[in-house]
Amino acid sequence: MRSKAEMLIDNWLYMAGIVHAYERKLPIEEDLYCDFYLPTGKVYIEFWGLEDDPKYAHRKKIKQDLYKNMVLI
């Protein structure tokens, strides 16, 4: 885990019995990874932990746009 918050999310998913993967590659050409993936329902979860960092905010916007445009099979 890259942060304490991600560890807490991972532990919560595990304790709730929710099957999940950490840092799974997105099914797109770009080399991007989601924080968590829930195969049941094909759910991608991002934890946005650095709200005050302009570089991070830019990357967040790029990922949000990619998610909006993803077509999942």
Side-chain angles (χ1 to χ4, degrees):
M1 303 293 123
R2 293 180 187 259
S3 70
K4 183 177 180 178
E6 287 181 351
M7 181 187 68
L8 292 171
I9 294 167
D10 185 67
N11 286 344
W12 187 89
L13 292 168
Y14 175 78
M15 295 302 289
I18 299 172
V19 175
H20 64 284
Y22 177 70
E23 292 197 342
R24 183 170 188 255
K25 186 177 180 323
L26 297 176
I28 57 176
E29 288 185 25
E30 290 88 349
D31 195 27
L32 290 175
Y33 294 79
C34 63
D35 291 331
F36 297 94
Y37 174 70
L38 284 53
T40 303
K42 297 182 181 177
V43 175
Y44 295 85
I45 299 173
E46 290 289 344
F47 173 71
W48 309 110
L50 298 173
E51 293 296 323
D52 296 330
D53 182 331
K55 185 177 175 182
Y56 186 86
H58 177 72
R59 178 108 168 119
K60 175 183 175 179
K61 175 73 171 124
I62 290 170
K63 282 184 97 173
Q64 286 175 325
D65 291 343
L66 281 170
Y67 278 120
K68 287 177 187 174
N69 294 317
M70 273 177 43
V71 177
L72 303 177
I73 299 171

